Amino acid sequence: MQRLLLGIDRISTFVGQAAAWLIIGLTLMISYEVFSRYALGTPHAWVFDASNMLYGALFMLGGAYTLAKRGHVRGDILYGFLSPRAQAAIDLVLYLLFFFPGVIALAWAGIDFFEVSLAQNEHSSIAADGPPIYPFKAVIPVAGALLLLQGVAELARCVVCLGTGHWPLREGDVEEVDVDKLKQMVGKDDPLQPEAATAPMPKIKEPTP
């Protein structure tokens, strides 16, 4: 079971990290458009839709990755003080009542949106040479399926936690390092006096009688 859960985590992590490269494309496209608009005087109407689609794809494909890393915003003022079993019970109920119905509806509707857009060869109407929209709408059911798969893993974790009393392990990933952790990593408690914490105290030779 644990191997299967970590495997699903790896899939969500791979897709999320791969989608993060869209930020590079989005940054380059917007930078070029700003230069072309103000320096060359040749704006491009299609950039507005293209930037929205890139950002939308990044947002949707990162959903399963964020869920795998427990990065979604939640009101955990009281939740954090509960025992793991109580947390798992709450999560289990909320996943069944809200998460799965919403995500299933997203994936199901996304399939219909994509099929209609592809059949119509839908393009942006802002400009005559607007970019096609159906590739972007294809991301909707894909993102919904990935989110649904990760949700199944989270549901299984809730069941395991209810039985064992502690949360199963998760796939590791890059984490932010705060100042305190950085000090621990370099082995220096006081950056202003780096030698004070590590240097041994000098021994005082006692006078011989």
Side-chain angles (χ1 to χ4, degrees):
M1 174 65 73
Q2 182 64 21
R3 182 178 299 179
L4 178 60
L5 296 179
L6 293 178
I8 296 176
D9 286 351
R10 292 188 186 100
I11 294 175
S12 299
T13 300
F14 174 79
V15 174
Q17 292 178 347
W21 288 95
L22 293 176
I23 298 176
I24 304 298
L26 182 61
T27 302
L28 293 176
M29 183 176 62
I30 295 299
S31 300
Y32 171 74
E33 173 62 16
V34 171
F35 173 78
S36 179
R37 177 183 296 269
Y38 293 102
L40 305 179
T42 55
H44 304 87
W46 55 266
V47 172
F48 177 78
D49 272 343
S51 60
N52 283 341
M53 287 189 285
L54 281 179
Y55 177 76
L58 171 65
F59 180 84
M60 289 188 292
L61 292 176
Y65 171 76
T66 307
L67 181 60
K69 307 307 176 186
R70 300 177 64 88
H72 288 292
V73 177
R74 61 191 307 164
D76 58 352
I77 298 177
L78 300 177
Y79 179 90
F81 292 97
L82 300 177
S83 65
R85 277 197 173 94
Q87 294 176 350
I90 294 175
D91 288 352
L92 183 65
V93 173
L94 294 179
Y95 273 117
L96 293 175
L97 290 181
F98 298 103
F99 178 86
F100 283 103
V103 175
I104 291 174
L106 171 67
W108 186 266
I111 295 174
D112 183 64
F113 290 156
F114 167 68
E115 290 178 346
V116 172
S117 179
L118 180 63
Q120 297 176 349
N121 193 22
E122 185 179 9
H123 282 63
S124 171
S125 59
I126 291 183
D129 57 345
I133 297 180
Y134 55 86
F136 169 67
K137 289 190 175 181
V139 178
I140 301 176
V142 172
L146 291 170
L147 195 58
L148 186 62
L149 179 62
Q150 186 62 46
V152 172
E154 298 303 316
L155 190 69
R157 282 190 169 96
C158 293
V159 175
V160 172
C161 183
L162 287 174
T164 62
H166 58 83
W167 289 104
L169 296 177
R170 292 180 176 271
E171 178 71 11
D173 194 16
V174 178
E175 296 182 359
E176 295 182 1
V177 179
D178 57 19
V179 177
D180 293 333
K181 289 184 178 179
L182 183 60
K183 292 178 183 179
Q184 296 176 2
M185 290 171 58
V186 299
K188 298 177 181 179
D189 295 331
D190 188 357
L192 299 179
Q193 297 179 354
E195 300 296 333
T198 58
M201 293 295 294
K203 295 182 179 181
I204 300 177
K205 185 177 181 180
E206 298 180 358
T208 57

